[in-house]
Amino acid sequence: LHSLRRRQRQMCIRDRAIGCATLIMSTIGMMVGRFIGPLLGKRAEILGGIVLIGIGGQILWSHFAG
């Protein structure tokens, strides 16, 4: 019973740490995007789309190949 409580407490701490890290990184990304967005404009959107297509293709390939 004590082991289960300790494990639950560790999971709660880990989940909060992941949540805080996600919040911080997404906030920084939004702030940087607001600054860089007007400078790069359409090229950044195209590059972001290419990156997302590449990630999707890699996931698809890993599912078919694995």
Side-chain angles (χ1 to χ4, degrees), residues 54-64:
I55 291 170
Q58 188 175 23
I59 292 171
L60 186 65
W61 178 260
S62 70
H63 284 266
F64 282 131

Side-chain angles (χ1 to χ4, degrees), residues 23-35:
L23 175 69
I24 291 168
M25 288 188 289
S26 62
T27 302
I28 290 171
M30 288 177 57
M31 293 169 62
V32 170
R34 285 185 185 161
F35 175 73

Side-chain angles (χ1 to χ4, degrees):
L1 184 61
H2 294 290
S3 176
L4 180 61
R5 286 184 187 161
R6 186 174 347 123
R7 187 175 289 166
Q8 287 175 339
R9 190 177 316 124
Q10 290 171 346
M11 287 176 19
C12 184
I13 292 170
R14 183 190 63 217
D15 293 345
R16 287 182 182 181
I18 291 171
C20 287
T22 302
L23 175 69
I24 291 168
M25 288 188 289
S26 62
T27 302
I28 290 171
M30 288 177 57
M31 293 169 62
V32 170
R34 285 185 185 161
F35 175 73
I36 293 180
L39 297 176
L40 297 179
K42 195 69 171 172
R43 290 180 293 204
E45 289 182 31
I46 292 171
L47 179 62
I50 291 171
V51 168
L52 288 175
I53 290 170
I55 291 170
Q58 188 175 23
I59 292 171
L60 186 65
W61 178 260
S62 70
H63 284 266
F64 282 131

